[in-house]
Amino acid sequence: MNFGIDRLAAAVTIVLLAAPNTSATETLRERMLRSYALDFGLVPAEETWRDVDPVLAAIGKELFESTLLSSNVDTACASCHLDRFGSADGLPVAIGVEGRSFGAERVRLGGDPQPRNTLPLWGRGGKGFDTLFWDGRVEKLQSGEIQSQYGAAAPDDDPLTVAAHLPPLQLGEMVFDRDSRFAQYEQESTSAAAAYADTIVSRLRERSDLIAQLATRSEQAETDIDYTDVAAALASFIARNFRLGTSRFHAFVFHAAPLTSEELRGGVLFYGKGQCALCHSGPYFSDLDFHTIAFPQFGFGANGFGVDYGRYNVTQNPDDLFAFRTPPLINVTRTAPYSHSGSVAKLRDAIVYHFDPLAFFSNDGSTADDREQLARRIGLWARDYPVAATLSEREIDDLVAFLGTLETESLEKVADPQ
Amino acid sequence: MSSVYKRINVLLFLCGLTLGLMIAWLGQPVFQWGVQSLFRKQFYELTASCDAAMRTHLIAKNRLDLEPSETAVRAVRSAELGLLACQDYDLLRKRLIRIGLDENALSELTLSFAEARASDLQLVVETHEFRY
C-alpha cells in the first residue's frame, strides 16, 4: 500500500515538474493576438454593414429562392447557395441547369457542371468588399469605376448588383444552352444578355407578383422595372442576409471573450509563423487581391481540358496566370471542398497546400502537361513565399481550431428552391 | 550463531550499498535518456520551428529594405510574431533543465536533431567547423 502511495506521489511530482507554466505567456499571446488582428484590419462586424432596404431585401429573398430566374425554370440562386453548406453547395464544382437535388445527389443526377467551385456569400455587399468572383471579373476600382464584362456600360455602380446580373445570364449556369428558344441569345455580347434579361423580367411579371412588388417599392410602373431592379433586390438580400455577424473571434478581440488554448495557438500561428494573414487579412480575412497557391485542378477548367488561368482570363496579363482572389475565411469550416475548382476535400489539406504543394502529389496518371502546369503554379507560389512556414500536425490542428472561431450565422434561413 | 548473523548483516549492508551506488550511478543517465526520449519529438519540432522563424524574419527584413511596401511591413510584423516559436523553444529548454536534464543532454538533443535533418555531411560539418 505504502509502495502504491510512493509511486503515486512520485508520478504527481513528475507531472508537476513537467507541466508548463504558461500563465504569463498565455496573457502575452492573447494581447498580441488582439493587437495583430486589429493591425491586420479586423473591425467589429457591424462596421462592415451597408444600409440595406429591408423591404427590397425581402423581395430579393423571394427572387433568390425562385427558379423563374433560370431559362428552363429548374435552377435558382438557392440551388447552389444552401444554408446546409454554409451558403455554398458542398460540391467541387457547381452543377448548373438541369441539376436536381443537393450535395452528392446533385452530381449523381446529372446537370451542367460549371468550371469553378461555388463561392459562399458571407460579407458580399459589405463595405469594401468590392472584388467579386474567383477571378475578380466584377471589381470596383479605386476610381469608383466598375470593371466587369459589361465594359464601360456597367448596369449599376454597386459591384454586387453588377455581379448579381451574371449567374442568371450565364450559359449553362442558369441558361439552358441546348434549348432552341434561347439560341438567339447564345453569343458573347451585352445586347444578347440584355435581350435575355428582358425575357426573365417578362416571365417574372407573368408568373409571379415579384415585379409588381418591386414596382410598388420603387414607385415605378411595372413596365419600367428592368433586370437591374431584379439584380438590385438580389444584391440587397445577399448583403443583408449574409452580412458578417459577431463571430467568436470578433468577441475575443472586441469583447474580451475567451478562446481555448488550441484556438489561441492557432490564432498566433495565423497572424505569425503561418503568414496566413499576409493575404487573409482585413474584415473578411481576404486582401481581395490575387495570388497563386498550387492547388490541383479539378474538372474541365475555365480554359478547358483541365486548365484554369484564373485572373489572367480577366486581365490578359501573363503575370496573372493561375492567380485567384484570396478567398475570405468567414465560415470556412462549413464550406468544403476548397480551392477554385473544389479539388481539396478537407480544410487541413487545403492548409497543407499553402506550404507543401507536393505533399499529395502523385505521378500516377499525370501527363507532361499536368506536370508542366503544376511546376508553373509552384514557381509562382514560391515567388510570393520565399520561406514557406512549414507546420506540424498539431499546428495544423490549432489553425483549424482557430478558423472555427470565424463561424457566423445568416440573418434568415434560405428555403430550398421550389 | 550471532556471529553468523552479524556476518550476514554486514554482507547485506554491503550488497545494499553496492546496489544503491549502482542505481545512483546508472540512474542519472537512465533518467536523462528517459526525459530525452519523452521530449525528443517536441524538442525537434520547436528547434525546426524557431530556425524557420528566424530565417523568415531575416528574409522579410531584407525584402522590406529592398522593396518597402505595406505588404513588406506586414510580412515583417508577421515574422516578428512568428519568433514566438523561439520563445517556446527557450521555454522548453528551461523546463527540461528544471526537470533535471543537464546542458550536455540538451546539446546531445540538438546534435541528434542536426544529424536527423542532415541529408549529407554538410550540416554536420557546418556544426563543427572552425569559422574565422
Side-chain angles (χ1 to χ4, degrees):
Chain A
M1 190 62 183
N2 285 340
F3 182 64
I5 290 170
D6 289 349
R7 287 184 65 179
L8 183 64
V12 168
T13 305
I14 288 171
V15 167
L16 287 174
L17 281 170
N21 177 11
T22 55
S23 55
T25 51
E26 293 274 302
T27 305
L28 168 71
R29 277 154 216 247
E30 284 173 351
R31 198 166 59 244
M32 285 295 101
L33 182 52
R34 289 190 177 102
S35 159
Y36 269 71
L38 296 174
D39 288 352
F40 279 74
L42 190 71
V43 298
E46 54 272 22
E47 287 187 17
T48 66
W49 299 352
R50 287 187 203 274
D51 288 336
V52 176
D53 176 354
V55 177
L56 191 60
I59 301 170
K61 182 174 189 291
E62 288 191 58
L63 287 163
F64 191 86
E65 294 164 351
S66 171
T67 56
L68 291 173
L69 267 70
S70 62
S71 65
N72 55 339
V73 197
D74 66 352
T75 309
C77 304
S79 299
C80 296
H81 295 287
L82 298 141
D83 283 336
R84 70 192 79 182
F85 298 114
S87 83
D89 60 3
L91 301 176
V93 292
I95 302 289
V97 285
E98 294 190 290
R100 284 174 291 153
S101 190
F102 311 103
E105 185 75 354
R106 190 169 174 85
V107 177
R108 194 181 69 76
L109 294 174
D112 203 340
Q114 300 303 296
R116 291 191 181 141
N117 180 251
T118 298
L119 282 160
L121 299 173
W122 308 102
R124 272 63 171 177
K127 289 179 186 169
F129 203 130
D130 292 335
T131 305
L132 298 155
F133 297 107
W134 280 107
D135 52 13
R137 68 180 63 179
V138 175
E139 185 177 11
K140 185 173 187 176
L141 306 176
Q142 284 192 333
S143 62
E145 182 192 345
I146 300 287
Q147 183 174 280
S148 74
Q149 55 219 79
Y150 286 94
D156 199 85
D157 58 5
D158 169 38
L160 186 59
T161 299
V162 176
H165 278 71
L166 302 188
L169 306 180
Q170 185 76 37
L171 288 173
E173 196 160 340
M174 291 176 77
V175 183
F176 186 40
D177 50 2
R178 293 193 297 281
D179 188 327
S180 58
R181 288 175 302 162
F182 301 105
Q184 57 182 309
Y185 306 122
E186 199 170 324
Q187 49 185 294
E188 295 274 332
S189 73
T190 50
S191 57
Y196 175 65
D198 288 343
T199 69
I200 295 179
V201 175
S202 299
R203 188 193 302 128
L204 283 167
R205 188 179 295 118
E206 289 161 16
R207 296 167 66 171
S208 76
D209 65 349
L210 291 168
I211 298 298
Q213 288 185 46
L214 282 174
T216 305
R217 184 65 198 156
S218 59
E219 298 178 346
Q220 297 182 77
E222 276 193 44
T223 48
D224 289 338
I225 298 295
D226 62 14
Y227 187 77
T228 297
D229 296 302
V230 172
L234 284 169
S236 296
F237 168 65
I238 292 167
R240 184 168 190 269
N241 200 55
F242 299 101
R243 68 192 186 186
L244 301 193
T246 299
S247 68
R248 287 191 49 238
F249 188 57
H250 284 91
F252 167 79
V253 173
F254 299 109
H255 307 297
L259 294 181
T260 67
S261 54
E262 195 179 21
E263 291 162 350
L264 181 63
R265 286 196 304 267
V268 171
L269 279 170
F270 184 86
Y271 286 99
K273 179 189 168 187
Q275 305 174 54
C276 316
L278 294 188
C279 302
H280 291 285
S281 57
Y284 308 103
F285 294 88
S286 167
D287 58 3
L288 301 177
D289 205 349
F290 300 88
H291 304 277
T292 303
I293 299 292
F295 288 120
Q297 173 66 39
F298 173 81
F300 194 63
N303 295 84
F305 300 101
V307 178
D308 192 334
Y309 286 146
R311 177 67 170 164
Y312 170 84
N313 292 329
V314 172
T315 63
Q316 270 82 63
N317 178 348
D319 287 346
D320 291 331
L321 280 166
F322 302 111
F324 292 90
R325 190 200 59 188
T326 306
L329 297 180
I330 301 297
N331 280 326
V332 67
T333 44
R334 296 173 173 173
T335 57
Y338 304 98
S339 89
H340 66 277
S341 67
S343 55
V344 183
K346 295 178 185 166
L347 185 54
R348 289 180 58 85
D349 295 348
I351 292 169
V352 170
Y353 272 107
H354 284 69
F355 65 85
D356 185 1
L358 293 175
F360 307 103
F361 176 71
S362 165
N363 204 19
D364 293 346
S366 72
T367 65
D369 281 343
D370 296 337
R371 293 190 294 275
E372 186 269 343
Q373 283 199 45
L374 176 62
R376 208 168 281 284
R377 292 199 297 269
I378 290 176
L380 292 166
W381 161 80
R383 188 187 59 184
D384 266 3
Y385 306 96
V387 180
T390 306
L391 303 178
S392 68
E393 291 295 311
R394 183 181 129 156
E395 287 174 323
I396 296 170
D397 288 340
D398 292 343
L399 262 184
V400 171
F402 170 71
L403 293 173
T405 68
L406 307 183
E407 290 185 359
T408 176
E409 301 298 329
S410 60
L411 217 56
E412 290 179 78
K413 296 296 170 199
V414 175
D416 292 343
Q418 302 301 313
Chain B
M1 199 61 180
S2 62
S3 65
V4 173
Y5 276 129
K6 276 183 183 173
R7 278 182 199 163
I8 289 173
N9 278 339
V10 170
L11 198 60
L12 281 175
F13 172 75
L14 288 174
C15 285
L17 193 64
T18 308
L19 189 64
L21 285 171
M22 282 178 71
I23 289 172
W25 184 64
L26 287 175
Q28 186 60 14
V30 168
F31 174 76
Q32 302 253 343
W33 174 83
V35 173
Q36 280 181 327
S37 302
L38 200 61
F39 289 94
R40 179 169 278 115
K41 186 170 178 238
Q42 193 183 354
F43 187 86
Y44 281 8
E45 277 181 10
L46 286 176
T47 306
S49 212
C50 174
D51 179 54
M54 289 169 67
R55 280 184 285 121
T56 303
H57 187 231
L58 175 66
I59 292 170
K61 285 200 300 183
N62 294 153
R63 178 168 279 185
L64 181 61
D65 284 343
L66 294 170
E67 301 167 26
S69 68
E70 192 181 333
T71 306
V73 170
R74 285 188 168 188
V76 172
R77 293 269 290 133
S78 202
E80 285 170 355
L81 190 62
L83 287 173
L84 276 176
C86 296
Q87 170 84 348
D88 290 337
Y89 167 78
D90 284 343
L91 280 172
L92 179 64
R93 282 185 69 95
K94 296 288 183 279
R95 263 175 70 205
L96 292 175
I97 289 169
R98 181 156 50 87
I99 291 169
L101 222 56
D102 58 28
E103 282 292 342
N104 280 338
L106 282 170
S107 300
E108 189 184 345
L109 269 179
T110 308
L111 286 174
S112 65
F113 173 66
E115 190 171 328
R117 288 287 292 255
S119 54
D120 55 31
L121 265 180
Q122 187 57 35
L123 189 56
V124 178
V125 172
E126 284 173 12
T127 309
H128 295 288
E129 70 181 339
F130 282 117
R131 292 187 192 137
Y132 297 99

